[in-house]
Amino acid sequence: MDYSFETGVYRPPSEGGSSSLLLRVTRNCPWNNCTFCGMYKGKRFSKRPPDEVKGDIDAIAGIARSLGAIPSDEPSIAPGKKTVESLLKEIPSLGSSIGLGMVLEWIHSGMKTAFLQDANSLIIETDELVEILLYLRKTFSSIERVTSYARARTLSKKSLEHLKAVKRAGLDRLHVGLETGDPELLKAVRKGVSHEDQVLAGTKAKEAGFQLSEYWMPGLGGKRFTKQHAENTAKALNIINPHYIRSRPFFPHPGTPLYLAVQKGEWPLLSPLEQLLELKEMIGHLQVTSKVCFDHAGNYWPGFKGRPVFKHSYEGYQFPEKKDHVLGLIEEGISVQKQIPSGPPPWLAR
Ligand code: SF4
């Protein structure tokens, strides 16, 4: 039995929280041009043939069967016969596989969720994606939710009919990096997608029946774009009205073009106080029924008594019911920041 399979590095934090199986259907990012992003820099994009991905599913199923986590038809594999130790003794190379720990954690947590890697699984041909999804669902009947990253540009170009076919085959949730709804800032950071495409992608994904998480990046435009970033991001999100709005504050990553621009003083960053004022502006304009989440350590602003302003929950705050509450939390952060006249951004303060 071949137990080898491939795993990528990245997945949304919420998929880590639910111990998702990471199944790599493409490698890296087909766009790879956003000036703020260092995730796949220097790495070539490629699609994986469905048979190769199905081979990975078989390998993972083989591990699950050997450990008795799923039933086996093979008489040589009695359920629960092997332990992780005996499996490692049999195939020592498994021990050096970065994916083994992930698979063991997934099995331990009940094999309920899976995440398709890497940056844009929707780019593969619809019939191939459908084939992979059906095979995954058939192999692991315990799976309740399958999710993936998707580029808005790709989503906007896919037909509704194709998106519905992918949804029917078993992909439930899409994670889309909106970053900003501001047309000028989208161009400046080379996101490769227009405001209109972002909106079309989001509304189409919802119409196809996907649960939709949109990620935005407070502080991305620095001092120059802050007002239009806040206003136009809210404008786009108000039309899309995704199920989740997730905040990922901008952090200049070494090795990226935007990091260099910051270093050279060409991209003046917001102070923590200005970040909160931008948040206040964006949240103030939001008219959605989404869950607004600050589920990442980058959302750190101290409140009273030094406790974080926001909870880092994956389910966040239900809008519009909690909108005033969130605005109140932002005010708390603002009043704390006003007592600290100037300081480093939150990611340096920790
Ligand atoms: S599309 Fe996503 S993964 Fe690709 S470069 Fe842009 S932010 Fe990074």
Side-chain angles (χ1 to χ4, degrees), residues 258-340:
L258 209 45
Y259 177 84
L260 283 180
V262 169
Q263 294 284 303
K264 286 190 209 155
E266 294 165 3
W267 200 269
L269 296 179
L270 299 183
S271 69
L273 174 60
E274 288 166 331
Q275 290 177 340
L276 285 163
L277 292 171
E278 184 179 283
L279 264 183
K280 181 180 166 183
E281 180 85 7
M282 199 298 257
I283 299 287
H285 281 93
L286 270 189
Q287 287 173 340
V288 291
T289 57
S290 319
K291 287 177 177 171
V292 176
C293 311
F294 302 88
D295 54 331
H296 187 273
N299 290 284
Y300 178 79
W301 293 272
F304 297 143
K305 297 186 182 161
R307 61 172 172 75
V309 162
F310 301 113
K311 58 179 181 184
H312 289 179
S313 150
Y314 300 131
E315 292 301 309
Y317 302 90
Q318 179 67 62
F319 273 37
E321 295 85 346
K322 292 283 179 191
K323 179 172 171 174
D324 286 345
H325 174 66
V326 171
L327 285 170
L329 293 174
I330 295 172
E331 286 301 345
E332 181 182 324
I334 288 173
S335 64
V336 169
Q337 286 301 327
K338 280 185 174 164
Q339 290 159 30
I340 315 167

Coordinates of all heavy atoms in Angstrom, one line a residue, residues 258-340:
L258 N 5.4 45.3 -1.5 CA 4.8 46.3 -0.6 C 5.7 46.6 0.7 O 5.8 47.7 1.2 CB 3.4 45.9 -0.2 CG 2.4 47.0 0.2 CD1 2.5 48.2 -0.8 CD2 1.0 46.5 0.3
Y259 N 6.4 45.5 1.1 CA 7.3 45.7 2.2 C 8.4 46.6 1.8 O 8.8 47.5 2.6 CB 7.9 44.3 2.5 CG 8.9 44.3 3.6 CD1 8.5 44.2 5.0 CD2 10.3 44.4 3.4 CE1 9.5 44.3 6.0 CE2 11.3 44.4 4.4 CZ 10.8 44.3 5.7 OH 11.8 44.3 6.7
L260 N 8.9 46.5 0.6 CA 10.0 47.4 0.1 C 9.5 48.8 0.1 O 10.2 49.8 0.5 CB 10.5 47.0 -1.3 CG 11.4 45.8 -1.3 CD1 11.8 45.5 -2.8 CD2 12.6 46.0 -0.5
A261 N 8.2 49.0 -0.4 CA 7.6 50.3 -0.5 C 7.5 51.0 0.9 O 7.8 52.2 1.1 CB 6.3 50.3 -1.2
V262 N 7.1 50.1 1.9 CA 7.0 50.6 3.2 C 8.4 51.1 3.7 O 8.6 52.1 4.3 CB 6.4 49.5 4.2 CG1 6.5 49.9 5.6 CG2 5.0 49.3 3.8
Q263 N 9.4 50.2 3.5 CA 10.8 50.5 3.9 C 11.3 51.8 3.3 O 12.0 52.6 4.0 CB 11.7 49.4 3.5 CG 11.5 48.0 4.1 CD 12.0 48.0 5.5 OE1 13.1 48.2 5.8 NE2 11.1 47.7 6.5
K264 N 10.9 52.0 2.1 CA 11.4 53.2 1.4 C 10.6 54.5 1.8 O 10.9 55.6 1.2 CB 11.4 53.0 -0.1 CG 12.4 52.1 -0.7 CD 12.4 52.2 -2.2 CE 12.8 51.0 -2.9 NZ 12.3 50.8 -4.2
G265 N 9.6 54.3 2.6 CA 8.7 55.4 3.0 C 7.7 55.8 1.9 O 7.1 56.9 1.9
E266 N 7.5 54.9 0.9 CA 6.6 55.2 -0.2 C 5.2 54.8 0.2 O 4.2 55.1 -0.6 CB 7.0 54.5 -1.5 CG 8.3 55.0 -2.0 CD 8.9 54.1 -3.1 OE1 8.3 53.1 -3.4 OE2 10.1 54.4 -3.5
W267 N 5.0 54.0 1.2 CA 3.7 53.5 1.5 C 3.5 53.7 3.1 O 3.7 52.8 3.9 CB 3.6 52.0 1.2 CG 2.2 51.5 1.1 CD1 1.5 50.9 2.1 CD2 1.4 51.4 -0.1 NE1 0.2 50.5 1.6 CE2 0.2 50.8 0.2 CE3 1.6 51.8 -1.4 CZ2 -0.8 50.5 -0.7 CZ3 0.6 51.5 -2.4 CH2 -0.6 50.9 -2.0
P268 N 3.1 55.0 3.4 CA 3.0 55.3 4.9 C 1.9 54.5 5.6 O 0.8 54.5 5.2 CB 2.7 56.8 4.9 CG 2.5 57.2 3.5 CD 2.8 56.1 2.6
L269 N 2.3 53.7 6.6 CA 1.4 52.9 7.3 C 0.5 53.6 8.3 O 0.9 54.7 8.7 CB 2.2 51.8 8.1 CG 3.0 50.8 7.3 CD1 3.7 49.8 8.2 CD2 2.1 50.0 6.3
L270 N -0.6 53.0 8.7 CA -1.5 53.6 9.7 C -0.9 53.3 11.1 O -0.3 52.2 11.3 CB -2.9 53.0 9.6 CG -3.7 53.2 8.3 CD1 -5.0 52.5 8.5 CD2 -3.8 54.6 8.0
S271 N -1.1 54.2 12.0 CA -0.8 53.9 13.4 C -1.9 53.0 13.9 O -3.0 52.9 13.3 CB -0.7 55.2 14.2 OG -2.0 55.8 14.3
P272 N -1.7 52.4 15.1 CA -2.8 51.6 15.7 C -4.1 52.4 15.9 O -5.2 51.9 15.6 CB -2.3 51.1 17.0 CG -0.8 51.1 16.8 CD -0.5 52.2 15.9
L273 N -4.0 53.7 16.2 CA -5.2 54.5 16.4 C -5.8 54.7 15.0 O -7.1 54.6 14.9 CB -4.8 55.9 17.0 CG -5.9 56.9 17.1 CD1 -7.0 56.4 17.9 CD2 -5.4 58.2 17.6
E274 N -5.0 55.0 14.0 CA -5.6 55.2 12.7 C -6.2 53.9 12.1 O -7.3 53.9 11.4 CB -4.5 55.7 11.7 CG -4.1 57.1 11.9 CD -2.8 57.5 11.2 OE1 -2.0 56.6 11.0 OE2 -2.7 58.7 10.9
Q275 N -5.7 52.8 12.5 CA -6.3 51.5 12.1 C -7.7 51.4 12.7 O -8.6 50.9 12.0 CB -5.4 50.3 12.6 CG -4.1 50.2 11.9 CD -3.3 49.1 12.5 OE1 -3.5 48.6 13.6 NE2 -2.3 48.6 11.7
L276 N -7.8 51.7 13.9 CA -9.1 51.6 14.6 C -10.1 52.6 14.0 O -11.3 52.3 13.9 CB -9.0 51.8 16.1 CG -8.3 50.6 16.8 CD1 -7.9 51.0 18.2 CD2 -9.3 49.5 16.9
L277 N -9.6 53.8 13.6 CA -10.5 54.8 13.0 C -11.0 54.3 11.6 O -12.1 54.5 11.2 CB -9.8 56.1 12.8 CG -9.5 56.8 14.2 CD1 -8.6 58.1 14.0 CD2 -10.8 57.2 14.9
E278 N -10.1 53.6 10.9 CA -10.5 53.0 9.6 C -11.5 51.9 9.8 O -12.5 51.8 9.1 CB -9.2 52.4 8.9 CG -9.5 51.9 7.5 CD -8.3 51.3 6.9 OE1 -7.5 52.1 6.4 OE2 -8.1 50.1 6.8
L279 N -11.3 51.1 10.9 CA -12.2 50.0 11.2 C -13.6 50.6 11.5 O -14.6 50.1 11.1 CB -11.8 49.2 12.5 CG -11.0 48.0 12.3 CD1 -10.7 47.4 13.7 CD2 -11.8 46.9 11.5
K280 N -13.6 51.7 12.3 CA -14.8 52.3 12.7 C -15.6 52.8 11.4 O -16.8 52.6 11.3 CB -14.5 53.5 13.6 CG -15.7 54.3 14.1 CD -15.2 55.4 15.0 CE -16.4 56.4 15.3 NZ -15.9 57.6 16.1
E281 N -14.8 53.4 10.5 CA -15.4 53.9 9.3 C -16.0 52.7 8.5 O -17.2 52.8 8.0 CB -14.3 54.6 8.5 CG -14.7 55.2 7.1 CD -15.3 56.6 7.3 OE1 -15.2 57.1 8.4 OE2 -15.8 57.1 6.3
M282 N -15.3 51.7 8.3 CA -15.7 50.5 7.5 C -17.0 49.9 8.2 O -18.0 49.7 7.6 CB -14.6 49.5 7.3 CG -14.8 48.5 6.2 SD -16.2 47.4 6.3 CE -15.5 45.9 6.8
I283 N -16.8 49.5 9.4 CA -17.9 48.9 10.2 C -19.2 49.8 10.2 O -20.3 49.3 10.1 CB -17.5 48.5 11.6 CG1 -16.3 47.5 11.6 CG2 -18.6 47.9 12.4 CD1 -16.5 46.1 11.2
G284 N -18.9 51.1 10.4 CA -20.0 52.0 10.4 C -20.9 52.0 9.1 O -22.1 52.2 9.1
H285 N -20.2 51.7 8.0 CA -20.9 51.7 6.7 C -21.5 50.3 6.4 O -22.3 50.2 5.4 CB -19.9 52.1 5.5 CG -19.7 53.5 5.4 ND1 -18.6 54.1 6.0 CD2 -20.3 54.5 4.8 CE1 -18.6 55.4 5.7 NE2 -19.6 55.7 5.0
L286 N -21.2 49.3 7.2 CA -21.7 48.0 6.9 C -23.2 47.8 7.1 O -23.7 48.2 8.2 CB -21.0 46.9 7.7 CG -19.7 46.3 7.2 CD1 -19.3 45.2 8.2 CD2 -19.8 45.8 5.8
Q287 N -23.8 47.3 6.1 CA -25.3 47.0 6.2 C -25.4 45.6 5.7 O -25.8 45.4 4.5 CB -26.1 48.0 5.5 CG -26.2 49.3 6.1 CD -26.8 50.4 5.3 OE1 -27.0 50.2 4.1 NE2 -27.2 51.5 5.9
V288 N -25.1 44.6 6.6 CA -25.1 43.2 6.1 C -25.8 42.4 7.2 O -26.0 42.8 8.3 CB -23.6 42.7 6.0 CG1 -22.9 43.4 4.8 CG2 -22.8 43.0 7.3
T289 N -26.0 41.1 6.8 CA -26.5 40.2 7.8 C -25.4 39.1 8.0 O -25.8 37.9 8.3 CB -27.8 39.5 7.4 OG1 -27.6 38.9 6.1 CG2 -28.9 40.6 7.2
S290 N -24.2 39.5 7.9 CA -23.0 38.6 8.0 C -22.6 38.4 9.4 O -23.0 39.2 10.3 CB -21.9 39.1 7.2 OG -22.3 39.7 6.0
K291 N -21.7 37.4 9.6 CA -21.0 37.3 10.9 C -19.7 38.0 10.6 O -18.9 37.6 9.7 CB -20.8 35.8 11.3 CG -22.0 35.2 11.7 CD -21.8 33.7 12.1 CE -23.1 33.2 12.6 NZ -23.1 31.7 12.8
V292 N -19.4 39.0 11.4 CA -18.2 39.8 11.3 C -17.1 39.3 12.3 O -17.3 39.3 13.5 CB -18.5 41.3 11.5 CG1 -17.2 42.1 11.4 CG2 -19.5 41.8 10.4
C293 N -16.0 38.8 11.7 CA -15.0 38.0 12.5 C -13.6 38.7 12.6 O -13.2 39.3 11.6 CB -14.8 36.6 12.0 SG -16.4 35.8 11.7
F294 N -13.0 38.6 13.7 CA -11.7 39.1 13.9 C -10.8 37.9 14.4 O -10.1 37.9 15.4 CB -11.7 40.2 15.0 CG -12.5 41.4 14.6 CD1 -13.9 41.4 14.9 CD2 -12.1 42.4 13.9 CE1 -14.7 42.4 14.5 CE2 -12.9 43.5 13.5 CZ -14.2 43.5 13.8
D295 N -10.9 36.8 13.6 CA -10.4 35.5 14.0 C -9.0 35.3 13.6 O -8.6 34.3 13.0 CB -11.3 34.4 13.4 CG -11.5 34.5 11.9 OD1 -11.4 35.6 11.4 OD2 -11.7 33.5 11.3
H296 N -8.1 36.2 13.9 CA -6.7 36.1 13.6 C -5.9 37.0 14.6 O -6.4 38.1 14.9 CB -6.5 36.6 12.1 CG -5.1 36.4 11.6 ND1 -4.1 37.3 11.9 CD2 -4.6 35.4 10.9 CE1 -3.0 36.8 11.3 NE2 -3.2 35.7 10.7
A297 N -4.7 36.5 14.9 CA -4.0 37.2 15.9 C -3.6 38.6 15.5 O -3.4 39.5 16.4 CB -2.7 36.4 16.2
G298 N -3.6 38.9 14.2 CA -3.3 40.3 13.7 C -4.3 41.3 14.2 O -4.1 42.5 14.1
N299 N -5.5 40.8 14.6 CA -6.5 41.8 15.1 C -6.3 42.1 16.5 O -7.2 41.9 17.4 CB -7.9 41.1 14.9 CG -8.3 41.0 13.5 OD1 -8.7 42.0 12.8 ND2 -8.2 39.8 12.9
Y300 N -5.1 42.5 16.9 CA -4.9 42.8 18.3 C -4.8 44.3 18.5 O -3.9 45.0 18.1 CB -3.6 42.1 18.7 CG -3.3 42.4 20.2 CD1 -4.0 41.7 21.2 CD2 -2.5 43.4 20.5 CE1 -3.8 42.1 22.5 CE2 -2.3 43.8 21.9 CZ -2.9 43.1 22.9 OH -2.8 43.4 24.2
W301 N -5.8 44.8 19.3 CA -5.7 46.1 19.8 C -6.1 46.0 21.2 O -7.2 45.4 21.6 CB -6.7 47.1 19.1 CG -6.4 47.3 17.6 CD1 -5.6 48.3 17.1 CD2 -6.8 46.5 16.5 NE1 -5.5 48.2 15.8 CE2 -6.2 47.1 15.3 CE3 -7.7 45.4 16.3 CZ2 -6.5 46.6 14.1 CZ3 -7.9 44.9 15.1 CH2 -7.3 45.6 13.9
P302 N -5.4 46.6 22.1 CA -5.7 46.5 23.6 C -6.9 47.3 23.9 O -7.1 48.4 23.4 CB -4.4 47.0 24.3 CG -3.7 47.8 23.3 CD -4.1 47.3 21.9
G303 N -7.8 46.7 24.8 CA -8.9 47.5 25.3 C -8.6 47.8 26.8 O -7.5 47.8 27.2
F304 N -9.7 48.1 27.5 CA -9.5 48.4 29.0 C -8.9 47.2 29.7 O -9.1 46.0 29.3 CB -10.9 48.7 29.6 CG -11.5 50.0 29.0 CD1 -12.9 50.0 28.8 CD2 -10.7 51.0 28.6 CE1 -13.5 51.1 28.3 CE2 -11.3 52.2 28.0 CZ -12.7 52.2 27.9
K305 N -8.1 47.5 30.7 CA -7.4 46.5 31.5 C -6.5 45.6 30.6 O -6.2 44.5 31.0 CB -8.3 45.7 32.3 CG -9.1 46.5 33.3 CD -10.0 45.6 34.2 CE -10.8 46.4 35.2 NZ -11.9 45.8 35.7
G306 N -6.1 46.1 29.4 CA -5.1 45.3 28.6 C -5.7 44.1 27.9 O -5.0 43.5 27.1
R307 N -7.0 43.9 28.1 CA -7.6 42.7 27.3 C -7.8 43.1 25.9 O -8.1 44.3 25.6 CB -8.8 42.2 28.0 CG -10.0 43.1 28.1 CD -11.2 42.5 28.6 NE -12.3 43.5 28.8 CZ -12.9 44.1 27.8 NH1 -12.7 43.8 26.6 NH2 -13.8 45.0 28.1
P308 N -7.8 42.1 25.0 CA -8.0 42.4 23.6 C -9.4 43.0 23.3 O -10.3 42.6 24.0 CB -7.8 41.1 22.8 CG -7.2 40.1 23.8 CD -7.5 40.7 25.2
V309 N -9.5 43.9 22.4 CA -10.8 44.6 22.1 C -11.7 43.5 21.5 O -12.9 43.5 21.9 CB -10.5 45.7 21.1 CG1 -11.8 46.1 20.4 CG2 -9.9 46.9 21.8
F310 N -11.3 42.7 20.6 CA -12.2 41.7 19.9 C -11.9 40.3 20.4 O -10.8 39.9 20.7 CB -12.0 41.8 18.4 CG -12.2 43.1 17.8 CD1 -11.2 43.8 17.2 CD2 -13.5 43.7 17.8 CE1 -11.4 45.0 16.7 CE2 -13.7 44.9 17.2 CZ -12.6 45.6 16.7
K311 N -13.0 39.5 20.4 CA -12.8 38.1 20.6 C -12.3 37.5 19.3 O -12.7 38.0 18.2 CB -14.0 37.4 21.1 CG -15.2 37.5 20.2 CD -16.5 36.8 20.7 CE -17.6 36.9 19.7 NZ -18.9 36.4 20.2
H312 N -11.5 36.5 19.3 CA -10.9 35.9 18.1 C -11.7 34.7 17.6 O -11.2 33.8 17.0 CB -9.4 35.5 18.3 CG -8.5 36.7 18.4 ND1 -7.2 36.6 18.6 CD2 -8.8 38.0 18.3 CE1 -6.6 37.8 18.7 NE2 -7.6 38.7 18.5
S313 N -13.0 34.7 17.8 CA -13.9 33.6 17.5 C -14.1 33.5 16.0 O -14.2 34.4 15.2 CB -15.2 33.8 18.2 OG -16.2 33.2 17.4
Y314 N -14.1 32.2 15.5 CA -14.4 31.9 14.1 C -15.8 32.3 13.7 O -16.1 32.4 12.5 CB -14.1 30.5 13.7 CG -12.7 30.0 14.0 CD1 -12.5 28.8 14.7 CD2 -11.6 30.8 13.5 CE1 -11.2 28.4 14.9 CE2 -10.4 30.4 13.8 CZ -10.1 29.2 14.5 OH -8.8 28.8 14.7
E315 N -16.7 32.4 14.7 CA -18.1 32.7 14.4 C -18.4 34.2 14.6 O -19.4 34.7 14.1 CB -19.0 31.9 15.3 CG -19.0 30.4 14.9 CD -19.4 30.1 13.5 OE1 -20.5 30.6 13.0 OE2 -18.7 29.4 12.8
G316 N -17.5 34.9 15.2 CA -17.5 36.4 15.2 C -18.7 37.0 15.8 O -19.3 36.4 16.8
Y317 N -19.2 38.1 15.3 CA -20.3 38.9 15.8 C -21.4 38.9 14.7 O -21.1 39.3 13.6 CB -19.9 40.3 16.1 CG -18.7 40.4 17.1 CD1 -17.4 40.4 16.7 CD2 -19.0 40.5 18.5 CE1 -16.3 40.5 17.6 CE2 -18.0 40.6 19.4 CZ -16.6 40.6 19.0 OH -15.6 40.6 19.9
Q318 N -22.6 38.5 15.1 CA -23.7 38.5 14.1 C -24.2 39.9 13.9 O -24.6 40.6 14.8 CB -24.8 37.6 14.7 CG -26.0 37.5 13.7 CD -25.7 36.8 12.4 OE1 -25.4 35.6 12.4 NE2 -25.9 37.5 11.3
F319 N -24.2 40.4 12.6 CA -24.7 41.7 12.2 C -26.1 41.5 11.7 O -26.4 40.4 11.2 CB -23.8 42.3 11.2 CG -22.6 43.1 11.8 CD1 -22.0 42.7 12.9 CD2 -22.2 44.3 11.2 CE1 -20.9 43.4 13.4 CE2 -21.2 45.0 11.7 CZ -20.5 44.6 12.8
P320 N -27.0 42.4 11.7 CA -26.8 43.8 12.3 C -26.9 43.8 13.8 O -26.6 44.8 14.4 CB -27.9 44.6 11.6 CG -29.0 43.6 11.4 CD -28.3 42.3 11.1
E321 N -27.4 42.7 14.5 CA -27.6 42.7 15.9 C -26.4 43.2 16.7 O -26.6 44.0 17.7 CB -28.0 41.3 16.4 CG -29.3 40.8 15.9 CD -29.2 40.1 14.5 OE1 -28.1 40.2 13.9 OE2 -30.1 39.4 14.1
K322 N -25.2 42.8 16.3 CA -24.1 43.1 17.2 C -23.3 44.3 16.6 O -22.2 44.6 17.1 CB -23.1 41.9 17.3 CG -23.7 40.7 18.0 CD -23.6 41.0 19.5 CE -24.2 39.8 20.3 NZ -24.4 40.2 21.7
K323 N -23.8 45.0 15.6 CA -23.1 46.1 15.0 C -22.7 47.2 16.1 O -21.6 47.7 16.2 CB -23.8 46.7 13.9 CG -23.1 47.9 13.2 CD -23.8 48.3 11.9 CE -23.2 49.6 11.4 NZ -23.8 50.1 10.2
D324 N -23.7 47.6 16.9 CA -23.5 48.7 17.9 C -22.5 48.2 18.9 O -21.6 49.0 19.4 CB -24.8 49.1 18.5 CG -25.6 49.9 17.6 OD1 -25.1 50.4 16.6 OD2 -26.8 50.1 17.8
H325 N -22.6 46.9 19.2 CA -21.6 46.4 20.2 C -20.2 46.4 19.7 O -19.3 46.9 20.4 CB -22.0 44.9 20.5 CG -21.1 44.2 21.4 ND1 -20.9 44.5 22.7 CD2 -20.2 43.1 21.1 CE1 -19.9 43.7 23.2 NE2 -19.5 42.9 22.3
V326 N -20.0 46.1 18.4 CA -18.7 46.1 17.8 C -18.2 47.5 17.7 O -17.0 47.8 18.0 CB -18.7 45.4 16.4 CG1 -17.4 45.7 15.6 CG2 -18.9 43.9 16.5
L327 N -19.1 48.5 17.3 CA -18.7 49.9 17.3 C -18.2 50.4 18.7 O -17.3 51.1 18.8 CB -19.8 50.7 16.7 CG -20.0 50.6 15.2 CD1 -21.3 51.3 14.8 CD2 -18.8 51.2 14.4
G328 N -18.9 49.9 19.7 CA -18.6 50.2 21.1 C -17.2 49.7 21.4 O -16.4 50.4 22.1
L329 N -16.9 48.5 21.0 CA -15.6 47.9 21.2 C -14.5 48.7 20.6 O -13.4 48.9 21.1 CB -15.5 46.4 20.7 CG -16.4 45.4 21.5 CD1 -16.3 44.0 20.8 CD2 -16.0 45.3 22.9
I330 N -14.8 49.2 19.3 CA -13.8 50.0 18.6 C -13.5 51.3 19.4 O -12.4 51.7 19.5 CB -14.3 50.2 17.2 CG1 -14.3 48.9 16.4 CG2 -13.3 51.2 16.4 CD1 -15.0 49.0 15.0
E331 N -14.6 51.9 19.9 CA -14.5 53.1 20.7 C -13.6 52.9 21.9 O -12.8 53.7 22.3 CB -15.9 53.6 21.1 CG -16.7 54.3 20.0 CD -16.0 55.5 19.4 OE1 -15.1 56.0 19.9 OE2 -16.5 55.9 18.3
E332 N -13.8 51.7 22.5 CA -12.9 51.3 23.7 C -11.5 51.3 23.2 O -10.6 51.9 23.9 CB -13.4 50.0 24.2 CG -12.6 49.5 25.4 CD -13.0 48.1 25.9 OE1 -14.2 47.8 25.8 OE2 -12.1 47.4 26.3
G333 N -11.2 50.7 22.1 CA -9.8 50.6 21.6 C -9.3 52.0 21.3 O -8.1 52.3 21.6
I334 N -10.1 52.8 20.7 CA -9.7 54.2 20.4 C -9.4 55.0 21.6 O -8.3 55.6 21.7 CB -10.8 54.9 19.5 CG1 -10.9 54.3 18.1 CG2 -10.6 56.4 19.5 CD1 -12.1 54.8 17.3
S335 N -10.2 54.8 22.7 CA -9.9 55.6 23.9 C -8.6 55.1 24.5 O -7.9 56.0 25.1 CB -11.1 55.7 24.8 OG -11.4 54.4 25.3
V336 N -8.3 53.8 24.4 CA -7.1 53.3 25.0 C -5.9 53.9 24.2 O -4.9 54.4 24.7 CB -7.0 51.8 25.0 CG1 -5.6 51.3 25.3 CG2 -8.0 51.2 26.0
Q337 N -6.0 53.9 22.8 CA -4.9 54.4 22.0 C -4.7 55.8 22.2 O -3.5 56.3 22.1 CB -5.3 54.1 20.5 CG -5.1 52.7 20.1 CD -3.7 52.1 20.3 OE1 -2.7 52.8 20.1 NE2 -3.7 50.8 20.6
K338 N -5.7 56.6 22.5 CA -5.6 58.0 22.7 C -4.7 58.4 23.9 O -4.2 59.4 24.0 CB -6.9 58.7 22.7 CG -7.5 58.9 21.4 CD -8.8 59.7 21.4 CE -9.3 60.0 20.0 NZ -10.7 60.4 19.9
Q339 N -4.7 57.4 24.8 CA -3.8 57.6 26.0 C -2.3 57.2 25.7 O -1.5 57.4 26.5 CB -4.3 56.7 27.2 CG -5.6 57.2 27.7 CD -6.4 56.1 28.5 OE1 -5.7 55.2 29.0 NE2 -7.7 56.1 28.4
I340 N -2.1 56.6 24.5 CA -0.8 56.3 24.1 C -0.6 57.1 22.8 O -1.0 56.8 21.8 CB -0.6 54.8 23.7 CG1 -1.3 53.9 24.7 CG2 0.8 54.4 23.4 CD1 -1.5 52.4 24.2

